[in-house]
Amino acid sequence: MAAAVRRVRDLARRHSARFARAIPLIASENLLSPYAKELLISDLHSRYAEGVPGDRYYEGNEQVDEIENLTLDLARRLFRCSFADVRPISGTVANLAVLKALAEPAAPVGTCRLADGAHISSAAFGAFGLRGVRPVYYAWDDARLTVDVPRTRAILRDARPQLCLFGLSLFLFPLPIDELRSTLEEIGAVGWYDGAHVLGLIAGGEFQDPLREGCQVLSASTHKTLPGPQHGILLAETGDAEALGRLRSAAFPGVTSNHHLHAMAALAVSLAEHLEFGGAYARQTVANARALAAALHERGFDVLGADLGFTRSHTVAVRVTGEGGGAEVARRLADAGIITNKNLLPGDKSPKHPGGIRLGTPEVTRVGMAEREMGAIAELFDDLLHRGRPAEEVRERAAELKAGFATLRYCFGAGEAAYRYYDLVGREPG
Ligand code: DSN
């Protein structure tokens, strides 16, 4: 069995070493600060704390209670709202909690289509299907790359969903919640925003502000543009105390038992760090996405949103049907040390053949890259995909570029190594 232990530790070490040399451009990934990361291996990991601070089912929770209260305070401050719940253990779990609290089975619930960039939570095979709700799809404006307001107003008036979800996993531009607010009020719908992708941008003041634009509830994961641990969060601003009670009991005991206390403590650190550094980080993340998009466009790539400034978020979408399609291009890039994912794009004919790749700048920004490096990354794309340079050569150049950005920024303890796991696992078992 020691061999299995050695093997998994070796694989984790190789994984870290690989990422240390790579250019990671997955829009939903980020790096934890050293102070947050340490808490993931603290004793908190070994404990249970079902219930709420001051009213637990277990003894020994005094420090946990204080950590949870602190995390809640920080969340309410960062997002300027009166309600937070940090017990969902992921974004999807937070979404399930909202559905359990605010929609009955078979109820119509407004959302975007997967092909227009919605998260799998909205799918029949995802959280919507688990709760048994019926999606009411908004109309999409292909030119503006966002929800089409006039046609969606008509759809909402007709179907009258009592819960309307706004949120995307291919999130290039803000959604027109403000413009739909009067229609939501007219039909009596609760506005619900899935801010997983753009949470750190919202907090940093660089994207829309859903709780001020017509949404009462915000659910999210906490590890994308908010560079926190893998966890979930519920935020709300509403006078409906009964709905808040249902959200609380949906979070626990509805969709969680224990809420991963180590991750919650790490989240407290990340929220505190974002209060300090989040504005600068969010600004540079968006600036980098726009710079990367422009640099790719200049090199002949079909970047979505060329007439719209490409993106207002951390994400860039590139149609790569001319370069071999999303799956093939993502695989070739990974082979050359550039980590992306294939992605369905609006207009794709088959979900099995995504025509695009999705790129994100949260992680490269976190290690200090700026507009200049976005140009260098676009050059690597061009050399690999348009000029036929070999993957090994591009991989070496990617590693050289990355070598100048080996430490974390925008956090306490900035300057520490960004990818440390391979340093930490020096010991070997028996
Ligand atoms: N899987 C995440 C993403 O990549 O968008 C969302 O959960």
Side-chain angles (χ1 to χ4, degrees):
M1 284 308 109
V5 176
R6 273 198 298 277
R7 178 72 179 146
V8 74
R9 287 158 64 90
D10 183 50
L11 287 167
R13 191 184 293 125
R14 283 163 52 187
H15 170 90
S16 281
R18 175 191 180 183
F19 271 77
R21 288 171 54 82
I23 306 289
L25 294 173
I26 301 283
S28 50
E29 294 180 351
N30 213 325
L31 296 168
L32 260 187
S33 79
Y35 289 101
K37 202 170 196 174
E38 273 176 10
L39 287 159
L40 295 183
I41 53 168
S42 68
D43 183 75
L44 292 161
H45 172 266
S46 306
R47 307 299 159 198
Y48 266 95
E50 291 180 354
V52 291
D55 185 13
R56 301 290 194 190
Y57 294 81
Y58 300 83
E59 294 303 324
N61 285 153
E62 286 76 7
Q63 287 74 30
V64 171
D65 282 0
E66 203 170 326
I67 291 169
E68 185 157 340
N69 280 330
L70 183 59
T71 315
L72 293 169
D73 277 349
L74 289 162
R76 287 186 296 249
R77 262 179 68 195
L78 186 59
F79 295 97
R80 298 187 295 127
C81 62
S82 53
F83 173 91
D85 195 312
V86 290
R87 291 174 298 175
I89 56 168
S90 75
T92 297
V93 166
N95 288 347
L96 273 171
V98 177
L99 286 165
K100 182 171 189 309
L102 303 179
E104 293 300 321
V109 177
T111 189
C112 294
R113 289 178 195 280
L114 259 56
D116 295 329
H119 183 244
I120 51 172
S121 287
S122 294
F125 53 77
F128 270 44
L130 279 175
R131 184 59 173 155
V133 298
R134 183 164 56 78
V136 171
Y137 293 118
Y138 309 142
W140 189 255
D141 182 336
D142 282 320
R144 289 174 61 221
L145 294 174
T146 189
V147 165
D148 180 307
V149 172
R151 287 191 291 140
T152 299
R153 278 201 184 112
I155 290 166
L156 292 178
R157 284 190 181 120
D158 186 43
R160 303 189 81 77
Q162 296 299 287
L163 181 64
C164 286
L165 169 59
F166 297 91
L168 297 166
S169 285
L170 183 69
F171 216 153
L172 299 175
F173 295 97
L175 290 168
I177 309 161
D178 215 10
E179 292 163 82
L180 289 167
R181 183 202 293 248
S182 60
T183 312
L184 298 183
E185 285 168 4
E186 179 190 317
I187 63 171
V190 173
W192 162 28
Y193 196 88
D194 178 348
H197 264 268
V198 289
L199 196 66
L201 307 184
I202 292 171
E206 288 296 316
F207 206 64
Q208 65 189 136
D209 190 359
L211 294 177
R212 251 68 47 194
E213 292 175 22
C215 283
Q216 291 78 48
V217 178
L218 198 170
S219 59
S221 55
T222 56
H223 49 264
K224 297 184 169 83
T225 52
L226 184 88
Q230 296 249 353
H231 202 70
I233 194 166
L234 288 172
L235 302 158
E237 192 55 68
T238 168
D240 186 345
E242 205 253 323
L244 294 179
R246 277 188 276 128
L247 274 175
R248 270 196 201 92
S249 65
F252 172 83
V255 294
T256 58
S257 161
N258 201 28
H259 50 292
H260 297 185
L261 312 176
H262 55 309
M264 177 178 71
L267 178 59
V269 170
S270 304
L271 294 170
E273 290 179 329
H274 214 71
L275 277 160
E276 188 96 6
F277 308 102
Y281 173 66
R283 262 192 308 286
Q284 191 61 52
T285 301
V286 176
N288 280 353
R290 291 170 75 96
L292 178 60
L296 288 167
H297 183 68
E298 277 165 24
R299 288 164 178 79
F301 285 94
D302 182 4
V303 185
L304 264 64
D307 302 336
L308 305 163
F310 303 109
T311 181
R312 293 257 315 271
S313 76
H314 60 303
T315 301
V316 175
V318 189
R319 198 177 295 283
V320 287
T321 37
E323 285 84 4
E328 166 73 9
V329 166
R331 192 195 54 70
R332 285 183 62 198
L333 284 166
D335 203 28
I338 300 169
I339 314 295
T340 68
N341 62 273
K342 59 179 181 263
N343 218 94
L344 267 189
L345 297 182
D348 276 352
K349 298 282 174 280
S350 158
K352 292 200 180 125
H353 301 289
I357 51 170
R358 184 186 66 170
L359 314 176
T361 53
E363 184 165 341
V364 289
T365 307
R366 185 84 160 140
V367 294
M369 290 193 187
E371 286 86 338
R372 194 162 148 266
E373 287 71 40
M374 299 305 109
I377 293 172
E379 195 64 26
L380 297 178
F381 273 67
D382 198 23
D383 283 348
L384 180 77
L385 299 169
H386 290 163
R387 296 205 181 109
R389 302 305 308 164
E392 308 77 62
E393 177 199 309
V394 176
R395 189 161 63 232
E396 277 314 305
R397 284 168 49 208
E400 274 166 32
L401 174 63
K402 187 67 175 299
F405 298 90
T407 60
L408 287 160
R409 295 282 179 272
Y410 306 101
C411 56
F412 297 120
E416 288 206 18
Y419 307 86
R420 281 194 62 201
Y421 185 74
Y422 59 101
D423 293 335
L424 297 177
V425 289
R427 288 177 301 125
E428 292 300 347

